[in-house]
Amino acid sequence: MSQLFVSQELVDALHSLSSILDQENVLAGTLNNVVNLSVATLPGCDSAGVTLRIGNRDTTAAASDEYTLEIDKIQYGEAQGPCVAAIDDSEPKQIHAVAEETRWPDFCKRAAAKGFRSSLSFPLNGDGSSGALNLYSTRDHGFDDESSFAVAEIFARQAAIALRNASTYAAARRVADQLHDALLSRDLIGQAKGILMEREGVTDDQAFGMLKTISQNSNIKLRDVAQRLVEERVAASAT
């Protein structure tokens, strides 16, 4: 196996990626950096993009240029091609020369007419998400060099990390939102109980029981009953 040559440009690019992933960037911003760095550092790469599969639909989440979008669109329309196959099989897919490729005839015919000649697609797997990093070349055998393949795989791993981090962040955000809502509900119910205790001369438990009864009889959430009571008190105080 030949030794992988690591240039200073690649070292700087990977350092840039590391700093990106350390920050709280949205997924789209991180993936855009991945595809732009791929084009900048891989000699055979003329354009790049990241496809995400959401449900049963593939969509381009990041692209270095309009050409990437055109090639992606052909694959989505034909439901075939290296990107689609990489996601389906969870394995890298490479086209060495489009004129010699037999696996995806409809895609290859249409893509070749756009100047497409070779490609490399790596699968990306996140928590409940899937996708592919797609690298395109307008030259035959654009990614046959072993070093290019190895470096492209590194970028694919970084994109996969970004995808997993985004999934984790989204889950954490949902939990935080739910906790916020729970705390807000608790405060509203506490205020409503205080109003009833003062107005009706009842205990804390009795006030809570009154709120529950109103909620059940009116088929309105307990929090909404409490909020309405608090708003009525505020309005009455303002007049």
Side-chain angles (χ1 to χ4, degrees):
M1 182 179 291
S2 62
Q3 184 175 3
L4 173 62
F5 174 73
V6 180
S7 67
Q8 184 59 46
E9 184 181 22
L10 174 59
V11 172
D12 293 341
L14 293 177
H15 177 73
S16 176
L17 272 179
S18 297
S19 65
I20 290 167
L21 294 174
D22 284 342
Q23 300 170 9
E24 293 185 1
N25 285 306
V26 296
L27 177 61
T30 303
L31 295 183
N32 277 320
N33 279 283
V34 169
V35 299
N36 290 331
L37 287 170
S38 295
V39 174
T41 58
L42 292 170
C45 185
D46 295 310
S47 59
V50 172
T51 293
L52 295 183
R53 178 164 292 174
I54 303 173
N56 295 320
R57 180 183 178 185
D58 293 335
T59 184
T60 303
S64 62
D65 51 30
E66 290 294 325
Y67 180 76
T68 298
L69 297 175
E70 290 182 8
I71 300 302
D72 286 351
K73 186 177 180 179
I74 294 173
Q75 297 192 70
Y76 305 156
E78 298 291 347
Q80 64 170 246
C83 164
V84 174
I87 299 174
D88 288 342
D89 300 340
S90 295
E91 294 178 353
K93 302 295 179 181
Q94 184 171 7
I95 292 179
H96 297 279
V98 71
E100 303 169 2
E101 182 58 61
T102 60
R103 287 173 290 181
W104 310 289
D106 295 333
F107 161 73
C108 288
K109 181 179 180 179
R110 292 182 59 190
K114 298 285 187 180
F116 172 93
R117 292 295 179 268
S118 59
S119 69
L120 191 55
S121 293
F122 282 93
L124 310 175
N125 295 309
D127 297 332
S129 304
S130 60
L133 171 64
N134 305 303
L135 310 176
Y136 301 133
S137 179
T138 56
R139 291 158 282 179
D140 289 339
H141 306 286
F143 304 100
D144 284 5
D145 180 80
E146 185 177 347
S147 295
S148 294
F149 190 96
V151 173
E153 188 173 18
I154 292 173
F155 282 115
R157 289 174 182 171
Q158 299 295 342
I161 290 172
L163 184 58
R164 288 194 295 270
N165 285 348
S167 299
T168 301
Y169 174 78
R173 183 59 182 267
R174 286 194 296 271
V175 171
D177 289 342
Q178 291 168 0
L179 178 59
H180 177 268
D181 288 343
L183 292 174
L184 182 59
S185 295
R186 187 188 66 179
D187 290 342
L188 280 171
I189 292 171
Q191 293 179 56
K193 286 194 300 181
I195 293 171
L196 289 175
M197 290 169 65
E198 177 186 351
R199 190 176 70 189
E200 305 295 336
V202 296
T203 66
D204 183 282
D205 289 342
Q206 290 172 329
F208 185 66
M210 294 172 66
L211 290 173
K212 287 176 61 179
T213 299
I214 297 172
S215 173
Q216 293 168 357
N217 292 342
S218 60
N219 197 28
I220 298 175
K221 291 181 179 180
L222 185 63
R223 171 184 166 172
D224 293 338
V225 171
Q227 183 170 1
R228 182 180 299 178
L229 187 60
V230 171
E231 290 174 350
E232 289 175 352
R233 168 57 67 88
V234 172
S237 301
T239 57

